[in-house]
Structure formats: C-alpha cells, structure tokens
Amino acid sequence: MSDQQVNTLERKPVILIIVTLVVILIGSVVTALLPFFMEGMEVKIDTVRPYTALELEGRDLYMREGCNNCHTQTVRPLRDEVLRYGEFSKSGEFAYDHPFLWGSKRTGPDLARIGGKYPDSWHVQHMVDPRSIVPQSNMPSYAFMADRPLDGSTIQSKMEALRTVGVPYTDEEIAAAPATLTGKTEMDAIIAYLQVLGTMINKAPVETVTDSTAVADSTAAPADSAAVTPAEAR
Amino acid sequence: MKMNKKHEVTMEERYDSWPVKAYTYSMIIWGIASLLYGILISLQLVYPEWNFGEWFSYGRLRPIHTNGGAFGFGLSGIFALSYYMVPRLTKSPLFLPGIAKLNFWIYNFTIAAAVITLHLGFSTTKEYAELEWPIDLLVVIVWVLWALNMVGTILTKKVDKMYVSLWYIIATVLGVAVLYIFNNLAVPASLFKSYSLYAGVNDANVQWWYGHNAVAFVFTTPILAIFFYFFPKVTNLPLYSHRLSIVAFWSLVFMYLWTGAHHLIWTPVPDWIQTVAIAFSLMLIAPSWGSVINGYMTMGNNWEQMKTNYLAKFFIMGITFYGLQTLQGPSQAIRSISSLIHYTDWVPGHVHMGTMGWFAMTIMASFYYVIPKIYKTELYSVKLANTHFWLVFTGQIIYSISMWIAGIMQGAMWKATNPDGSLKYTFQDSITASYPYWDLRALGGVIFLAGALVFAYNIFKTIQKGSNASAKTEGAV
C-alpha cells in the first residue's frame, strides 16, 4: 500500500468504512457463505428423518436446560472416541438439527451415540438422581422434570417454523402432533430425544453375509462401516 | 496529539461525560455480577448440591456468566471508553448526546432481560449468542444507537487524520453488526422460542464464524483501540510506529474472519474449511504480535515505568497476556494439539487468560486514567490500584494454570488405552480426577473477584472525592 493510499484512508472515514467492510466480508463469504452451496458440505443419509413431535419437544428441553454446556454431540474420528462412544459423526446426521447441538466442552460424556445404549428406566433414574448411578458424578438433578406435564401447546407452531427453515414435516404430521403429546411428561420427552440420538444411521438394511470370505472382508472394512459398536458403560 | 493547554481545557468542556460516567456504574455492576455467577458455577462443578433448582442450575447459569462478562462488563467498558475517546480523537463533540442516553438505558434493559430470560431457560444454545429473538432485536437497536454516535462523530471530525484507535472502533461497529445479524437469523415459533435458519453442519460453521469473531470484534479490536489510545497517554510516550499499527490493523481484520472453523477441528465440517481455518489462525500471529511489539517498543528506554507508574504495569501486562493468548490460540488450532485439548478444561484456561488478563486488565486500567480526568481529581489510592493489580494477576494465573493442567490430564485420560487396546479410564475417572483442580479454579476466581472489588471501591472513592471537590467550588461561587 502506498503512502498516498494510506493517507486517503486516514482522512476519509466513508472510504475507510467501505474498505473495512469489504475486507471483513471476504473471509466471511468464502468460509461461511460459500459452503451452503457446496456439495461436500452435507452428505445426505437416507435413513435420517425429522424428529417426531415428542423427540422435538425433548430436544427443546435439552436446549432449555443448557445440556450442551457440558455434553457434546460429535464423535471425532479418533481411535479412543470411536472406542468410547461409537461410530464417528457424519455430516448428514445433522440435516434437521436447527440449531446444531455439538457443544464445545465435555464436562460430561459425548451424547451423539447415547440412543439405545441404556433402557429408559436407566435414564429416568439417572436424571432424577445422577449420583444413585454414578456416585461421583457432578451432574445436576433434573427430578423436577419427572412429573411435570409436557407443555405441548406450541408444538404445531414449532413444527411449522421448522418447516419454514427446511424440515419436511407434512400437514398430516403437524395435525397429528398434539395428540401424540397428551399425557406425556417432560421426562418422557427428553428421554425420547436421548434415545433417538445417533441411532438414525443404524437403520440401513444390513448386508447378508454369504460366505467366509465375505466375513473376512467385512472385518477389514474401514471404521466408518457401522461395524464399530459402542463400548458398553463407558 | 500535542495541543495547547488552554485549548485543551475549553475542548474538554465540550465533551459530554454523562455516558462515560453512566457506563462506569453499569460496568462495575455487571462485572461483579458476572464474577459471582462464575464463582457459583465453578463450585457447582465440584459440589452438585449447589445447583439450586432449575433456575439456578449450571446449564442455565453458564451462559449468564459468559454473556454477563462479555456483553455486561465488557461492552459497558467499551461503550464508556469509546464515548470518552472518540470525541477527543476527532476533536468533535458527540454527534447525538441524547441518543447516547437512550443507548445507555436500552442497553441496560437488554442485559437485564438477557439475565432473566436465561434464568428462565429461553436459550438458542448458540454460544455467546444464546439470547432469544426479541432480545436479539434489542441488541440490534443498542448497536445501531452506539454506531450512530461513533460513526456520526467520526464523520464530523475536526482533525485531518484519523488515529488508529478510530480505525479499530470502525472495525468493531461493522464486524459485530455483520456477525451478530447473520448468526442469529432464525424463525420464531413463539415469543421466546425460535429455530436457527441454518441446520447441522452449516449452522455449526456459521456459529463458529460468529463465535471466534466475537473474540475478534469484542475482545480484540475495541481493546486495541483502547490500548493504543490510553497506553501512550498514561506513559506519556508517543506510539512507537503508526505505520506498524496500520499494517497490523489491515492484516488482523482481514485474517480473523477465516479462522472460525478451528473450533470445529475433527468434526464433520469438511476438511478444507478446517485446514483454511488452521492456516489463517497461524498467520494471525503476525498482526497480533505487530500490536504487542508496538506496545513494547513504545516503552523504548522507559521500562523503569514498570516500577514507577502503576498504569504502565497494567497495560504492559495486558498486552503481554494478549501476546501469550495469540500464540496459544493458533497452536490449539493445529489438528494434533486440538485432538488432545479440545473439549477439555484447557480451553476455559485459554479463554480466561484473554478475558481476565488482557480484556479486563486493559479496560480497568483505562478507568484509572479516565475517572480522575472527568471528575477533575486524583485517583483515591494508587496503593489500592496496586493491590488490585496483584489480586487479579494472581487470581488469573491460578485459574489458567490449574485449567491447563486439568485439561491435559483429561485429554490424556480420554486417550489412554490398556495393552490390549481397551480404554484405560471411564469418563467419570477423568471428572473425579479434575475435582481438586476445579476447587483451585474457584479459589482463583475468588481472588480475582477480591481484586475487582478493590477496583470498584477505588473508583467509587475517586468519584466521591471529585464530586465533593466540585460541590465545594460551586458553593464558593
């Protein structure tokens, strides 16, 4: 930059404002805006579906209580993480997550593959009194959710708002939603959400193994082949 | 910067000190509140019985601590000091003094609303952008009102050239506006519930583009504006290099925006985005250290001021922590290091070196200069200011070092395997092992709070002294 150019910027605030804005926008456009239009950003997974009304309410409770402040929802493609939590996370799994809930700090374990790992009764007990299951746990008790009726009064406007941002809820699903929430507690909802987390990629039809060679091949398959099972109770 | 003494007095009278005075109070109130929340949540991590029901449980309180610190304490300080600096640097009275008052009241209403709604669980969960849409709209109003005064005053400047602090103020105005609006775009479902416009991977990418650049445009650019204005003032030394400050300015505001995805290393975000972010994070060392070197070189042959001038000590320690922060940050972006320390307590240790060491230290030191000026008196006690310095310094060191040790321990325990390849520790093992460090962290927080209270007392006493003196003069007339 020549001295003259610097002088212009030093003297003319309007020019300084415009140039600064352009400079700020360059990196923003390339790293934050362009990816929306790039194919590799989100790889579609056919078995990933929108959350049911109950799971959605559970997810909103997860957000209300700020669970994301202690629990992440991304298994990194690292050996120990795959051993501890299960298969590493795929971009397509989060297609209907408005917002994403990956978190940034693990004061508790990652929950991306928590679904189906424990029975509902385990979760109820753990949410009501975490230390009755893990004696040295520091998780707050969520006993107040156990008997509190779920407020499903806004479920239809929630689903409609989500449809506006791209979640393909049908009119029938939205019409039927309130009925599926009657008589449910907040605990029912959050457990429904926890139990679906990370399970949608496992619904793909399993290829039938026909002979011994195929077995040998499948054991040598890369780690992302859904062959890795979560280490229990970790 | 040189000007006639008589001229300075008459100019001084044209500058509106109301916003500076008002924001001083809100800074102290929100600052102390945020520290109290911080200490409470640090204790909750070790003593879960300190979660007092749903309104006071960790998950809801942590965003109050972070938002309170950044936007309650920090923005109050930034607003106060910018309302002080900008008219003086442009030699032009505040563009719209009435709007500055409105700005103050709407701002404080917004922060109060943020605290209440976060207690109630109205949260978007996007870090440092947790506020729900009605409060987001208030934030936009606050920002526009502040921007009107900043840009308006700069456009009506009575000086030929703009000093670099004004450049950084302009970057702050623009950067936060762009980031805040685009990250918070959402569709409301009810009065206090909305859903992000973006989903999954893109939402994460936009969020951390915002999240890391909140660091750029709240914790860096305005603080550099403050540093470059007040540091030469308090040391009575000219800035080492105007040219270096300009080169650092352009490279900083250009590079920062590319780095957000270093928060998303090893996630499903495409590798190229991660790699670009890592590369730009490393390059950012250059402009960051450009400012650090400019600060050090300004001291020139006058390093004895570290002993004789308590304010030089605050500013030099502040810029030193900025320098350490901007070396540590880029190193954390590297994939192998990220795989060890990401998601651990290392990261809060890193963040608090920036917030407690650089951000709070620089802001508070500037008030030691500003408050006596606008109340036309001397600081109540330099000795107390020194006490404040050593308390916040010790508190922050205890905080950061205990968290760095805990973080590496957690990362190592998560990775450790037995000879047969199975995991050596359960997740709970890593938490149980962290409890002593979390106790230590709480202690660091308490010491820091003690320092902040000494600061507040010193400022109040100075205000009292100045007000009493001016009341006497008026009485005599």
Side-chain angles (χ1 to χ4, degrees):
Chain A
M1 217 182 283
S2 77
D3 280 357
Q4 206 183 342
Q5 284 168 315
V6 171
N7 281 341
T8 312
L9 289 167
E10 274 177 334
R11 293 195 166 91
K12 305 256 186 276
V14 176
I15 296 177
L16 179 62
I17 288 170
I18 293 167
V19 176
T20 306
L21 189 61
V22 170
V23 167
I24 287 172
L25 287 176
I26 297 170
S28 307
V29 167
V30 175
T31 64
L33 184 63
L34 284 186
F36 279 93
F37 309 101
M38 298 180 95
E39 258 182 41
M41 190 65 179
E42 197 170 85
V43 181
K44 193 170 161 43
I45 299 174
D46 289 334
T47 51
V48 172
R49 57 155 176 83
Y51 296 106
T52 66
L54 188 63
E55 290 159 4
L56 178 63
E57 288 289 359
R59 192 171 197 273
D60 288 341
L61 293 170
Y62 186 98
M63 291 170 64
R64 184 186 78 187
E65 298 309 327
C67 305
N68 57 295
N69 285 293
C70 290
H71 295 283
T72 55
Q73 288 189 19
T74 20
V75 180
R76 295 180 289 181
L78 304 172
R79 193 169 104 82
D80 61 294
E81 300 234 336
V82 174
L83 276 174
R84 191 181 300 278
Y85 301 117
E87 194 174 339
F88 66 82
S89 297
K90 316 284 187 292
S91 59
E93 290 185 77
F94 307 97
Y96 303 124
D97 281 15
H98 296 265
F100 79 114
L101 291 174
W102 293 357
S104 63
K105 171 76 174 71
R106 286 179 185 154
T107 304
D110 186 274
L111 299 180
R113 298 273 175 245
I114 193 71
K117 208 169 190 177
Y118 307 108
D120 287 0
S121 58
W122 185 97
H123 282 292
V124 175
Q125 172 82 21
H126 185 252
M127 294 282 289
V128 170
D129 184 4
R131 274 152 296 285
S132 68
I133 293 183
V134 186
Q136 290 179 305
S137 166
N138 59 353
M139 186 170 122
S141 159
Y142 290 94
F144 62 87
M145 293 171 83
D147 307 311
R148 187 184 290 174
L150 179 67
D151 173 18
S153 61
T154 56
I155 187 62
Q156 288 182 321
S157 62
K158 284 178 173 183
M159 292 169 87
E160 274 156 17
L162 282 167
R163 188 156 68 175
T164 314
V165 294
V167 181
Y169 285 123
T170 62
D171 288 339
E172 294 74 46
E173 281 170 326
I174 295 176
T180 65
L181 302 180
T182 45
K184 301 290 185 188
T185 63
E186 291 194 341
M187 188 66 84
D188 294 331
I190 197 156
I191 291 174
Y193 172 61
L194 291 174
Q195 292 290 33
V196 78
L197 270 179
T199 61
M200 289 186 198
I201 53 162
N202 295 336
K203 302 280 164 60
V206 182
E207 276 179 51
T208 11
V209 176
T210 46
D211 58 38
S212 55
T213 355
V215 174
D217 281 349
S218 74
T219 51
D224 63 348
S225 71
V228 186
T229 48
E232 76 277 20
R234 290 269 181 195
Chain B
M1 289 257 140
K2 276 178 201 165
M3 55 180 105
N4 185 307
K5 259 270 180 259
K6 266 186 186 168
H7 179 62
E8 193 176 12
V9 174
T10 46
M11 287 301 290
E12 269 300 315
E13 281 159 4
R14 291 178 62 201
Y15 301 138
D16 192 353
S17 62
W18 191 90
V20 187
K21 292 174 178 171
Y23 278 113
T24 305
Y25 288 104
S26 73
M27 173 191 70
I28 289 172
I29 291 165
W30 296 124
I32 302 286
S34 153
L35 289 171
L36 288 171
Y37 277 105
I39 291 167
L40 174 59
I41 60 175
S42 75
L43 290 167
Q44 286 177 335
L45 289 179
V46 193
Y47 310 100
E49 61 277 14
W50 283 59
N51 289 282
F52 305 109
E54 56 179 315
W55 289 14
F56 286 86
S57 69
Y58 180 89
R60 295 195 190 181
L61 297 191
R62 191 231 170 208
I64 303 181
H65 166 65
T66 54
N67 283 278
F71 308 128
F73 164 77
L75 279 189
S76 285
I78 291 163
F79 286 166
L81 296 170
S82 61
Y83 276 123
Y84 180 89
M85 283 191 293
V86 172
R88 282 164 181 79
L89 282 170
T90 55
K91 293 213 172 79
S92 175
L94 210 53
F95 185 54
L96 300 163
I99 293 291
K101 286 194 184 185
L102 188 66
N103 187 357
F104 174 79
W105 291 114
I106 297 182
Y107 162 79
N108 277 288
F109 175 78
T110 307
I111 301 290
V115 172
I116 293 166
T117 54
L118 288 171
H119 269 294
L120 294 173
F122 301 139
S123 169
T124 68
T125 74
K126 292 175 91 167
E127 274 183 84
Y128 322 118
E130 285 92 347
L131 309 178
E132 266 297 352
W133 68 273
I135 300 165
D136 282 346
L137 293 178
L138 285 171
V139 172
V140 172
I141 294 170
V142 168
W143 204 255
V144 168
L145 294 179
W146 179 66
L148 270 177
N149 256 317
M150 293 300 114
V151 174
T153 309
I154 292 172
L155 288 178
T156 55
K157 70 187 169 66
K158 307 283 191 302
V159 294
D160 184 29
K161 289 185 181 181
M162 289 180 286
Y163 184 61
V164 68
S165 293
L166 294 175
W167 298 42
Y168 277 117
I169 293 286
I170 285 174
T172 306
V173 168
L174 298 172
V176 171
V178 170
L179 292 155
Y180 199 82
I181 290 171
F182 285 100
N183 186 45
N184 281 296
L185 290 179
V187 172
S190 61
L191 184 55
F192 284 105
K193 179 71 193 171
S194 64
Y195 293 106
S196 173
L197 188 59
Y198 325 114
V201 184
N202 275 306
D203 194 43
N205 193 43
V206 171
Q207 156 61 24
W208 285 111
W209 163 78
Y210 163 85
H212 195 70
N213 287 291
V215 175
F217 293 98
V218 177
F219 291 95
T220 307
T221 54
I223 313 304
L224 286 172
I226 291 166
F227 179 83
F228 283 126
Y229 180 86
F230 290 101
F231 181 58
K233 288 271 182 199
V234 304
T235 53
N236 215 9
L237 299 167
L239 182 67
Y240 167 67
S241 168
H242 181 61
R243 177 179 287 260
L244 177 57
S245 71
I246 298 300
V247 172
F249 171 85
W250 286 115
S251 30
L252 187 95
V253 297
F254 175 69
M255 288 181 201
Y256 240 112
L257 285 302
W258 298 73
T259 60
H262 69 211
H263 290 256
L264 297 167
I265 305 297
W266 297 109
T267 68
V269 166
D271 270 356
W272 75 264
I273 298 181
Q274 299 181 27
T275 306
V276 165
I278 295 167
F280 274 86
S281 301
L282 292 167
M283 290 194 283
L284 254 183
I285 294 173
S288 306
W289 271 78
S291 297
V292 177
I293 288 167
N294 221 345
Y296 287 163
M297 297 299 274
T298 297
M299 287 296 268
N301 292 323
N302 298 281
W303 283 92
E304 84 287 347
Q305 285 201 21
M306 288 296 277
K307 222 171 167 179
T308 57
N309 178 355
Y310 74 102
L311 281 176
K313 193 164 60 191
F314 271 95
F315 279 98
I316 284 293
M317 282 321 292
I319 199 77
T320 300
F321 282 125
Y322 175 65
L324 295 173
Q325 187 74 359
T326 52
L327 284 177
Q328 195 181 50
S331 73
Q332 292 165 195
I334 297 166
R335 279 195 175 82
S336 53
I337 297 179
S338 173
S339 84
L340 179 69
I341 55 94
H342 197 38
Y343 305 131
T344 74
D345 273 317
W346 175 281
V347 179
H350 168 70
V351 171
H352 283 79
M353 175 162 66
T355 53
M356 291 166 140
W358 154 243
F359 185 70
M361 187 101 72
T362 308
I363 288 177
M364 286 175 169
S366 305
F367 279 89
Y368 282 138
Y369 173 84
V370 164
I371 294 298
K373 278 261 175 198
I374 58 175
Y375 285 93
K376 300 187 181 66
T377 183
E378 298 284 306
L379 185 69
Y380 171 70
S381 166
V382 172
K383 206 175 165 188
L384 283 181
N386 273 309
T387 311
H388 159 213
F389 175 87
W390 288 109
L391 284 172
V392 295
F393 181 79
T394 311
Q396 183 238 312
I397 293 290
I398 293 175
Y399 187 114
S400 289
I401 293 182
S402 60
M403 289 302 93
W404 291 330
I405 299 171
I408 292 177
M409 178 190 72
Q410 291 155 7
M413 286 178 81
W414 296 346
K415 281 185 185 300
T417 49
N418 294 310
D420 68 356
S422 61
L423 293 167
K424 193 164 179 184
Y425 300 103
T426 65
F427 188 86
Q428 183 57 43
D429 288 339
S430 74
I431 297 303
T432 308
S434 302
Y435 287 148
Y437 297 98
W438 289 346
D439 275 331
L440 208 54
R441 181 243 306 266
L443 175 70
V446 170
I447 295 172
F448 190 93
L449 172 66
L453 290 171
V454 171
F455 164 80
Y457 177 76
N458 209 353
I459 292 293
F460 284 138
K461 279 299 200 183
T462 308
I463 292 174
Q464 214 175 42
K465 205 171 110 182
S467 309
N468 287 345
S470 70
K472 265 183 200 163
T473 355
E474 275 164 31
V477 173

